[in-house]
């Protein structure tokens, strides 16, 4: 990882962008639910203009339309992100009716704040279940399976609800090219929200100092097997 | 001449023509309904192909004995063609014949000689099919072939019987001495000549007319279609695939072949040209190692599916998924095919539909496609890691805006991200530095050429990468490119021109061979025995066979494998199979390693990063006593060795 | 000065306690205070307790449950929340350092709030050696706070050792080569009573189920020994290894990122090395019993 000169962002030259893995599963789940139940799906993101590519990717999977909140390139913390998304969701619900389900990734791959979905659920007054690996519609409720250390915990909540999901929920499809081509013309509604002063304010980023692991070589090839066994014995597992 | 015989002949001809044309018209309409493809350019090249491949029987003669057998029958057919008309005239009027030609002694001689040649050919064909029984006929319709050979024999035998009877009755217009065989036979048939003359000529005509009707319903259709198929064959680089135009209106974009109606007219012609000879099957590495794919059976299945009028998806109804993914795109089948069927185009088109429309492909390959799409390389590693291989080498990385070097060294993804493929790039860089070559690399600005995506059928991702790379290369004003990877070499050299990228592209074996020839690199010769494995994308798709051998000769003693040069046997990585698992049969790479080990050589030399990895794996898996090295590494050792020797 | 801790009663919570003590005298709300588990009710209990104690901060371990409950507390109270912190500097505003990218990047931030809500990244701080904090009295939750609660628990279907609990994990990456290639990994794992893990490349290729995946979006593990076979060590994967005490990396590429960041390395072909280790273990065991 290389940081920008002012150490407030990652140097993204030569890097490709993609949707967070948890979120991609959320998109796939939304597409599957609409395929099975009729209806409409919307994908929304807060990000720079280039983020429209990820919206097009989501629409290539089958999402009907997109809302793009332009972040003007600045850093938005979890609370500010949730506030902006909330406003966009409220406006959309007023215009097009309420969402039966809103999916979020459990946490984003980069800043991992764990809070955007939950904040929006509370603001909308809807039940929120997090960390889901399986989602099943049951009439006017939804049955949710959350992965825990010794198996899965099950919740059942009524619609409308907010769910945060994790990778492993499903295997996202590989988008078909006709799907990608159609996605190029699907509607993207652009909003430019005002960024509030963040209460969790980024000062700078830093790379962690040295891994701290010594990388002692035990040898090469099968001849190193006895040395490995010795390490296992010393660790008390053999 | 009797009115009855006149009417009888015309009736027979009319019926035969009606039955024939009904079917022929259906086939013609089918081909006309095929999707468009541009095969009307470069008429001189097409005419040349007709001359060498059709008239000259070039591809057939790649296997000498069966080739001569067929050539005899084919050339015989051409010479004997006028005798069909002569026989029809003679059937009606025993004294009639074609004006002038019918009286020519030289023509009578040709007819006798070629009729005998055809008979010998048919006899030899029966010997091959019934006694030798080559494996390539497995799956072919042998009964049909026997019938066709029988009919041909019948045609020639009735011709001899007729001519000998004519001579016995003095009905010949040509001097009998000029038809020695028929003349000799005439003494035998003389007692019954009045009967045999009529019977033979009518039998001859009727057999021919029945053959005409049978023709469009059998694989003998090839005598009409093959010459046309050859004419419309590929004239551009063998390694180049036809791009899809994604900018066309959505309803007009052809995403490969999903159903029979998606095939191009050329592909339909291909399936109609197949004679089920099985030469392609014989050389296919997948078939050889027990996989589901046989190029012959594939084309036959596509043909049967096309004729059946089925609108069901080709995969999995006529062709299974396994068959489609087994192919390594090595091109051995295309090279063998006597009627120039383009098997790879069929397979890639099936893949295009499966990948781009149905998203239906082996899961492990999906990882590679996603990685290529997102991180611009099939290893899924960050682009910023692309220069790790060159740590400490002092290789110049071309920055945007800088003056381009004489030669751009296109490293490729394998040397950047695979530790075994790295050595070739390091050796090549060091050798170029030693020889004082002005070169640079693009570093993190290099993206995958897109070859694995394209061979898998993901044309969309390929074109995105191609356009990106062409923009980078054109922006850097690059003129000459050298690369260690034959796939990059093929794609940039043969396929990028379709996207506005025209450069002089050279494989590192060619480039280094030139440096050695010019004396700029001086390797020490040695007694080390080396067997060189020709990469498919170098030796077969692009005819680079001599220069790697120059390098081998310069650094050691060459020992050739049985399947060498344009007959080379694939390492198993092509067609994006590097990223797929072999689920059946014997591993292709192990097969090739066994062949290499059998030569007794100590070293297995390669010129491709994929061959390096596949064959190195094969050596470890089989425990063969071989060491796998890229030519660049061998050359570098030899050059360093010479210097050390000179310093001492 | 009081600080409130959401206590899961394990080492990870005691690591969080180390940081919590910086803010004052710790009191705790046990995570099992509400049965069955109902995260909104716990958040409400934390809010009430923080109010009654006039707490200077509310802290929890950065576990899935910890992050979830604290985020709900933040949402209902309209306060900012910083997850996975590794360091704090008291002051007004509070300065903290937290993890991004599963630990591959550090974020230094200022928190402008009267009541900081923080979770502490697991395995980043030492376990607190002091006495356990005194739990507060948790009142009976209101109905609406119980709306989201666990109705059922499903035991894992496979009998094997769970990744999250395992003391030893033998893990395979792209280098294993195929689904069948995992046989040698499973063999070594069964000899050691270990769980089998894998990298994301392996689950994407369909060789192993997602439940075996170790990494940022898979399971985060904290074994005594983690044996990585043919794993290059993308940040996605190493983000799940922060808790591993010892990492043994086996790879043919000595420059692979995980080879540079392991405790012990073996260079070479895992297809030869892993069976050799299994054989050596059998030999060592046979030697001991004889």
């Amino acid at each position: 990882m290389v940081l920008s000169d002012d150490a407030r962002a990652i140097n993204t030259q030569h890097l490709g962008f993609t949707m967070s893995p948890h979120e991609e599963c959320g998109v796939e789940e939304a597409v599957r639910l609409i395929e099975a139940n009729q209806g409409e799906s919307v994908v929304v993101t807060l990000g720079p203009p280039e983020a429209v590519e990820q919206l097009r990717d989501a629409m290539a999977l089958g999402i009907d339309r997109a809302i793009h909140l332009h972040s003007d390139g600045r850093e938005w913390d979890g609370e500010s992100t949730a506030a902006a998304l909330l406003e966009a969701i409220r406006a959309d619900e007023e215009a097009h009716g309420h969402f039966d389900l809103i999916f979020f990734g459990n946490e984003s791959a980069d800043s991992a704040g764990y809070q955007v979905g939950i904040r929006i659920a509370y603001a909308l007054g809807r039940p929120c279940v997090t960390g889901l690996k399986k989602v099943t519609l049951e009439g006017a409720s939804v049955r949710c399976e959350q992965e825990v250390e010794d198996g899965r915990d099950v919740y059942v909540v009524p619609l409308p609800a907010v769910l945060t999901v994790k990778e492993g929920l499903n295997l996202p499809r590989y988008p078909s090219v006709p799907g990608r081509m159609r996605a190029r013309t699907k509607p993207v509604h652009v909003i430019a929200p005002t960024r509030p002063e963040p209460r969790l304010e980024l000062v700078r980023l830093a790379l962690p100092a040295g891994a701290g692991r010594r990388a002692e070589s035990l040898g090469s090839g099968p001849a190193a097997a006895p040395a490995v066994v010795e390490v296992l014995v010393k660790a008390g597992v053999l | 001449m009797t009115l009855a015989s006149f009417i009888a002949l015309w009736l027979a001809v009319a019926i035969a023509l009606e039955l024939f044309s009904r079917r022929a018209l259906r086939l013609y309409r089918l081909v006309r309904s095929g999707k468009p493809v541009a095969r009307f350019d470069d008429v001189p090249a097409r005419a040349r192909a007709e001359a060498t491949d059709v008239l000259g029987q070039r591809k057939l003669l790649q296997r000498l004995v069966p080739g001569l057998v067929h050539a005899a029958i084919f050339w015989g057919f051409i010479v004997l063609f006028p005798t069909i008309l002569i026989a029809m005239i003679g059937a009606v009027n025993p004294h009639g014949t074609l004006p002038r030609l019918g009286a020519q002694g030289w023509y009578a001689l040709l007819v006798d000689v070629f009729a005998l040649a055809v008979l010998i050919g048919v006899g030899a064909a029966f010997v091959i099919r019934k006694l030798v029984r080559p494996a390539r006929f497995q799956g072919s319709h042998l009964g049909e072939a026997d019938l066709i050979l029988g009919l041909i024999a019948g045609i020639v035998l009735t011709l001899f019987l007729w001519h000998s009877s004519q001579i016995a009755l003095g009905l010949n217009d040509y001097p009998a001495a000029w038809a020695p065989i028929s003349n000799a036979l005439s003494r035998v048939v003389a007692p019954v000549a009045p009967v045999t003359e009529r019977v033979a000529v009518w039998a001859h005509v009727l057999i021919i007319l029945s053959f005409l009707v049978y023709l469009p319903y059998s694989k003998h259709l090839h005598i009409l279609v093959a010459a046309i198929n050859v004419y419309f064959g590929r004239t551009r680089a063998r390694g180049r695939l036809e791009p899809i135009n994604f900018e066309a209106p959505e309803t007009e974009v052809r995403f490969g072949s999903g159903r029979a109606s998606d095939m191009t007219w050329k592909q339909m012609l291909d399936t109609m040209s197949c004679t089920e000879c099985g030469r392609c099957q014989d050389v296919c590495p997948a078939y050889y190692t027990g996989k589901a794919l046989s190029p012959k059976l594939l084309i036959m299945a596509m043909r049967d599916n096309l004729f059946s009028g089925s609108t069901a998806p080709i995969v999995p109804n006529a062709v299974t998924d396994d068959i489609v993914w087994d192919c390594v795109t090595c091109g051995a089948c295309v090279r063998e095919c006597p009627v120039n069927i383009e098997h790879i185009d069929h397979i890639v088109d099936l893949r295009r539909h499966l990948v781009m429309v149905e998203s239906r492909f082996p899961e492990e390959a999906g990882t590679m496609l996603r990685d290529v799409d997102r991180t611009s390389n099939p290893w899924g590693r960050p682009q910023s890691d692309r220069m790790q291989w060159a740590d400490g080498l002092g290789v110049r990385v071309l920055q945007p805006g800088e003056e381009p070097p004489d030669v751009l060294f296109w490293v490729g993804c394998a040397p950047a991200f695979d530790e075994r493929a790295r050595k070739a790039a390091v050796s090549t860089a060091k050798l170029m530095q030693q020889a004082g070559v002005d070169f640079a690399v693009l570093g993190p600005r290099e993206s995958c050429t897109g070859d694995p995506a394209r061979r898998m059928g993901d044309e969309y991702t390929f074109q995105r990468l191609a356009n990106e790379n062409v923009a980078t290369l054109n922006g850097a004003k690059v003129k000459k490119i050298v690369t260690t990877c034959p796939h990059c070499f093929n794609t940039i050299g043969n396929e990028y021109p379709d996207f506005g990228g025209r450069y002089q592209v050279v494989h590192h074996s060619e480039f280094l061979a030139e440096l050695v020839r010019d004396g700029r690199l001086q390797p020490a010769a040695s007694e080390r025995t080396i067997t060189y494995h020709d990469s498919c994308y170098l030796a077969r798709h692009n005819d680079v066979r001599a220069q790697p051998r120059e390098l081998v000769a310069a650094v050691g003693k060459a020992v050739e494998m049985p399947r060498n040069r344009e007959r080379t046997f694939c390492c198993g990585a092509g067609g994006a199979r590097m990223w797929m698992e072999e689920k059946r049969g014997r591993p292709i790479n192990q097969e090739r390693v066994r062949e290499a080990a059998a030569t007794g050589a100590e070293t297995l030399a390669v010129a491709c990063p994929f061959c390096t990895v596949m064959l190195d794996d094969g050596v470890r898996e089989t425990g063969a006593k071989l060491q796998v090295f890229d030519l660049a590494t061998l050359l570098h050792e030899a050059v360093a060795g010479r210097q050390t020797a000179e310093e001492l | 000065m009081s600080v409130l801790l959401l206590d899961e009663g394990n080492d990870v919570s005691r690591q969080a306690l180390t940081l919590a003590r910086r803010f004052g005298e710790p009191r705790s709300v046990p995570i099992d205070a509400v049965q069955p588990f109902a995260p909104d009710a716990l958040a409400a209990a934390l809010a009430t307790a923080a109010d009654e104690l006039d707490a200077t901060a509310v802290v929890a371990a950065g576990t899935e449950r910890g992050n979830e409950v604290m985020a709900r507390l933040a949402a209902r109270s309209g306060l900012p929340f910083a997850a996975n912190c590794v360091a704090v500097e008291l002051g007004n505003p509070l300065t903290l350092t937290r993890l991004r990218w599963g630990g591959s990047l550090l974020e230094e931030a200022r928190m402008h709030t009267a009541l900081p809500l923080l979770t502490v990244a697991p395995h980043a701080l030492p376990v607190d050696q002091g006495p356990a904090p005194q739990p507060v009295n948790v009142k009976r939750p209101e109905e609406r706070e119980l709306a989201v609660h666990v109705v059922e628990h499903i035991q894992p279907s496979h009998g094997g050792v769970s990744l999250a609990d395992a003391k030893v994990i033998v893990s395979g990456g792209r280098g294993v080569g195929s689904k069948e290639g995992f046989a040698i990994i499973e063999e070594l794992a069964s000899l050691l009573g270990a769980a089998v893990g894998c990298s994301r490349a392996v689950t994407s290729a369909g060789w192993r189920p997602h439940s075996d995946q170790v990494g940022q979006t898979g399971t985060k593990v904290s074994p005594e020994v983690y044996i990585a076979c043919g794993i290059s060590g993308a940040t996605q994967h190493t983000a799940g290894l922060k808790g591993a005490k010892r990492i043994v990396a086996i790879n043919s590429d000595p420059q692979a990122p995980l080879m540079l960041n392991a405790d012990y390395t073996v260079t070479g072909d895992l297809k030869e090395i892993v069976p050799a280790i299994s054989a050596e273990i059998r030999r060592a065991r046979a030697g001991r019993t004889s």
Side-chain angles (χ1 to χ4, degrees), chain A residues 122-188:
Chain A
Y122 268 70
L124 292 174
R126 295 180 197 171
C128 180
V129 196
T130 65
L132 301 180
K133 285 297 185 80
K134 187 159 174 209
V135 168
T136 322
L137 269 187
E138 287 176 348
S141 305
V142 58
R143 182 190 157 93
C144 316
E145 288 184 26
Q146 178 192 72
E147 197 163 71
V148 291
E149 270 182 22
D150 57 342
R152 290 195 177 177
D153 279 345
V154 181
Y155 301 73
V156 176
V157 294
L159 301 179
V162 173
L163 307 179
T164 81
V165 300
K166 298 186 82 168
E167 192 187 29
L169 176 73
N170 52 46
L171 190 62
R173 67 197 66 191
Y174 191 73
S176 74
V177 173
R180 286 202 227 194
M181 288 165 67
R182 255 172 266 135
R184 286 205 294 226
T185 56
K186 284 183 179 174
V188 176

Side-chain angles (χ1 to χ4, degrees), chain B residues 258-259 301-302 305 308 310-321 323-324 354 358 360:
Chain B
R259 288 159 221 280
M302 302 281 284
N305 184 58
S308 75
S310 166
T311 54
I314 299 175
V315 181
N317 298 292
V319 174
T320 64
D321 294 77
I323 290 174
V324 176
L354 290 176
E358 300 184 45
R360 182 182 166 136

Side-chain angles (χ1 to χ4, degrees), chain B residues 12-32:
Chain B
V13 168
I15 293 171
L17 278 178
E18 155 69 15
L19 292 172
F20 167 80
S21 11
R22 188 179 296 177
R23 172 74 170 177
L25 205 60
R26 174 164 181 248
L27 296 178
Y28 173 73
R29 287 209 183 99
L30 200 52
V31 171
R32 282 297 298 263

Side-chain angles (χ1 to χ4, degrees), chain B residues 561-579:
Chain B
M561 285 187 260
R563 290 177 288 202
N564 65 61
R565 294 188 175 81
E566 60 272 23
R567 290 205 140 98
T568 188
F569 187 83
C570 189
C571 71
R577 285 216 57 89
M578 174 82 177
W579 287 276

Side-chain angles (χ1 to χ4, degrees), chain B residues 246-419:
Chain B
F246 291 110
E247 301 304 314
E250 196 186 326
T251 45
E252 284 173 34
V253 180
R254 177 177 166 263
F255 294 99
S257 302
R259 288 159 221 280
S261 52
D262 291 331
M263 291 164 71
T264 64
W265 57 264
K266 174 60 170 68
Q267 286 170 339
M268 293 183 178
L269 265 179
D270 266 358
T271 64
M272 295 181 195
S273 307
C274 179
T275 62
E276 306 181 11
C277 74
R279 289 165 181 230
C280 56
Q281 184 173 291
D282 236 17
V283 294
C284 174
Y287 188 78
Y288 188 80
T289 52
K291 313 294 189 294
L293 168 67
S294 146
K296 176 188 80 180
L297 296 175
L298 170 73
I299 298 297
M300 285 165 64
M302 302 281 284
R303 173 195 67 196
D304 294 343
N305 184 58
L306 176 66
F307 286 173
S308 75
S310 166
T311 54
I314 299 175
V315 181
N317 298 292
V319 174
T320 64
D321 294 77
D322 275 351
I323 290 174
V324 176
W325 298 110
D326 281 342
C327 178
V328 285
T329 68
C330 73
C333 52
V334 177
R335 185 191 167 261
E336 285 292 319
C337 183
V339 296
N340 291 1
I341 293 172
E342 294 153 354
H343 313 71
I344 294 181
D345 289 346
H346 284 264
I347 290 175
V348 170
D349 266 357
L350 290 173
R351 289 183 177 189
R352 283 176 172 180
H353 195 267
L354 290 176
V355 171
M356 292 197 287
V357 178
E358 300 184 45
S359 297
R360 182 182 166 136
F361 45 79
E363 254 184 84
E364 60 269 24
T367 313
M368 180 273 287
L369 282 181
R370 268 178 239 257
D371 285 340
V372 166
D373 196 22
R374 295 196 184 158
T375 62
S376 298
N377 67 76
W379 271 263
R381 296 270 297 274
Q383 287 285 90
S384 41
D385 280 356
R386 272 192 187 265
M387 283 310 289
Q388 278 177 0
W389 68 273
D391 252 349
L393 289 181
V395 169
R396 175 183 165 212
V397 179
L398 185 66
Q399 300 300 332
E402 281 180 3
E403 276 307 300
D406 285 348
V407 170
L408 179 80
F409 179 21
W410 182 275
V411 180
C413 303
F417 302 118
D418 185 294
E419 68 278 4

